[in-house]
Amino acid sequence: MASARPPQRGGWALGVAQTVENLVDDVARRLGTPPDSVPEARDLIAALLDVPRHWPLLRENKWVDSSVWQRACAAADARARGAPLAYAVGQASFRALTLVVDGRVLIPRPETELLVDLVLERCAPGGVAVDVGTGSGAIALSLALEGRFDRIVATDLSLDALEVARENARRLAPGAVEFLHGDLLRPVAGGGLRAVVSNPPYVSYDEIAALPGSVRDWEPPVALFSGRHGLDATARLVRQAGGALEPGGLLALEVDATRASLVAELVASDARFDEVTVKLDLAGRERFVLARRVPEDRT
């Protein structure tokens, strides 16, 4: 964070006091050609410091610590090479959380914040909720901190992703989430789950070329791609959830907007589910599929 006084003579800037305004200028030069790159420079610094976007503009005369300057310049250089902003600064916001993120995990999206809302609105207190394919731990940690579940479990096929998620849990909610390694729901023993929540991979291999470079070239393929039609992981998860949820338990999925109806039909075709609904994201796109596990005597 910015320092209350200038660096001392003989320090990192040879006694020259460096301010937030100076830092913005340096970052802007690294990003591109000022003044066009100045707004992005301010955004990068704000993201790095986890402060509101307007903070660098309102605090131009604040002195900057050498460590902040070095981190900001390294982030700017990474951004100039094409890294997404979250990877460049090493963190991303999700609901009330600031999560550590890097190339081992998908960058949490605003749409997924709404998935958490849908689960919290529909689940009674208690029981076990499982976040399948947890990545950075965004969903699991949000449910642990905002919900009233008895237990939160998070699974992921990627050991690298679990390492990031566990780091976030240590920082934000020690002991609140149980992390298990494995494919989808396979690591979860038994059944009787109150909720199965997931933002599974849903991009088809045919869509690779159409992805933005910031996604295609930087985010982990295991978190993006799921077979020729983008539905392999989702179809397997639906089958597993049918046997793992308690009667009345909630299945909540984030899906590709172009395939939401296909996922809804897939869930509806499984006699173990009813109350299948499709919900819209904030942009009005079909983004979420919800369903309830029916009682045993109706399957």
Side-chain angles (χ1 to χ4, degrees), residues 79 82-84 87 107 109 211-219:
R79 188 79 179 100
Y87 289 162
I107 298 170
R109 266 53 171 193
L211 290 174
S214 60
V215 174
R216 181 185 62 246
D217 300 335
W218 291 89
E219 301 202 65

Side-chain angles (χ1 to χ4, degrees), residues 61-104:
N61 294 323
K62 282 278 190 180
W63 306 117
V64 178
D65 292 334
S66 61
S67 61
V68 171
W69 194 288
Q70 291 163 2
R71 289 169 54 210
C73 290
D77 291 343
R79 188 79 179 100
R81 294 192 299 270
L85 179 62
Y87 289 162
V89 301
Q91 59 190 37
S93 297
F94 185 84
R95 296 178 71 84
L97 308 177
T98 299
L99 300 164
V100 171
V101 296
D102 58 32
R104 294 173 290 177

Side-chain angles (χ1 to χ4, degrees), residues 8 24 26 41 59 61 66 83 86 95 104 123 132 139 158 161 166 223 232:
Q8 299 299 308
V24 168
D26 194 0
R59 299 292 188 272
N61 294 323
S66 61
R95 296 178 71 84
R104 294 173 290 177
C123 284
V132 177
I139 293 174
S158 167
R166 289 186 175 113
D232 288 7

Side-chain angles (χ1 to χ4, degrees), residues 8 10-11 15 30 36 46 50-51 55 58 62 64 68 79 89 108-110 150 154 181 224 228 243 254 256 282 297:
Q8 299 299 308
R30 292 169 183 268
D36 293 344
D50 195 22
V51 294
W55 187 93
L58 298 179
K62 282 278 190 180
V64 178
V68 171
R79 188 79 179 100
V89 301
R109 266 53 171 193
D150 293 331
H181 174 239
L224 293 171
R228 182 178 178 185
E254 181 173 336
D256 179 75
L282 296 176
D297 58 6

Side-chain angles (χ1 to χ4, degrees), residues 204-213 216 225:
S204 78
Y205 294 134
D206 293 339
E207 295 167 330
I208 293 176
L211 290 174
R216 181 185 62 246
F225 303 113

Side-chain angles (χ1 to χ4, degrees), residues 37-236:
S37 55
V38 167
E40 184 178 1
R42 293 193 182 114
D43 287 347
L44 184 148
I45 293 166
L48 183 74
L49 298 177
D50 195 22
V51 294
R53 291 181 64 186
H54 60 265
W55 187 93
L57 185 60
L58 298 179
R59 299 292 188 272
E60 288 185 337
N61 294 323
K62 282 278 190 180
W63 306 117
V64 178
D65 292 334
S66 61
S67 61
V68 171
W69 194 288
Q70 291 163 2
R71 289 169 54 210
C73 290
D77 291 343
R79 188 79 179 100
R81 294 192 299 270
L85 179 62
Y87 289 162
V89 301
Q91 59 190 37
S93 297
F94 185 84
R95 296 178 71 84
L97 308 177
T98 299
L99 300 164
V100 171
V101 296
D102 58 32
R104 294 173 290 177
V105 297
L106 200 71
I107 298 170
R109 266 53 171 193
E111 294 87 349
T112 310
E113 297 187 24
L114 183 54
L115 178 63
V116 174
D117 282 329
L118 293 171
V119 174
L120 294 175
E121 291 167 2
R122 287 162 173 76
C123 284
V128 179
V130 181
D131 172 24
V132 177
T134 192
S136 65
I139 293 174
L141 289 167
S142 295
L143 293 177
L145 293 169
E146 299 180 52
R148 293 180 290 171
F149 296 97
D150 293 331
R151 180 181 168 215
I152 303 291
V153 178
T155 74
D156 207 294
L157 184 61
S158 167
L159 285 169
D160 286 339
L162 286 174
E163 187 175 344
V164 176
R166 289 186 175 113
E167 179 181 353
N168 282 318
R170 284 193 294 270
R171 293 171 49 252
L172 301 170
V177 178
E178 179 182 355
F179 295 97
L180 300 175
H181 174 239
D183 184 44
L184 302 178
L185 280 171
R186 292 191 182 280
V188 182
L193 305 179
R194 180 67 48 88
V196 171
V197 190
S198 185
N199 176 19
Y202 54 65
V203 180
S204 78
Y205 294 134
D206 293 339
E207 295 167 330
I208 293 176
L211 290 174
S214 60
V215 174
R216 181 185 62 246
D217 300 335
W218 291 89
E219 301 202 65
V222 69
L224 293 171
F225 303 113
S226 185
R228 182 178 178 185
H229 301 291
L231 294 172
D232 288 7
T234 300
R236 289 190 292 114

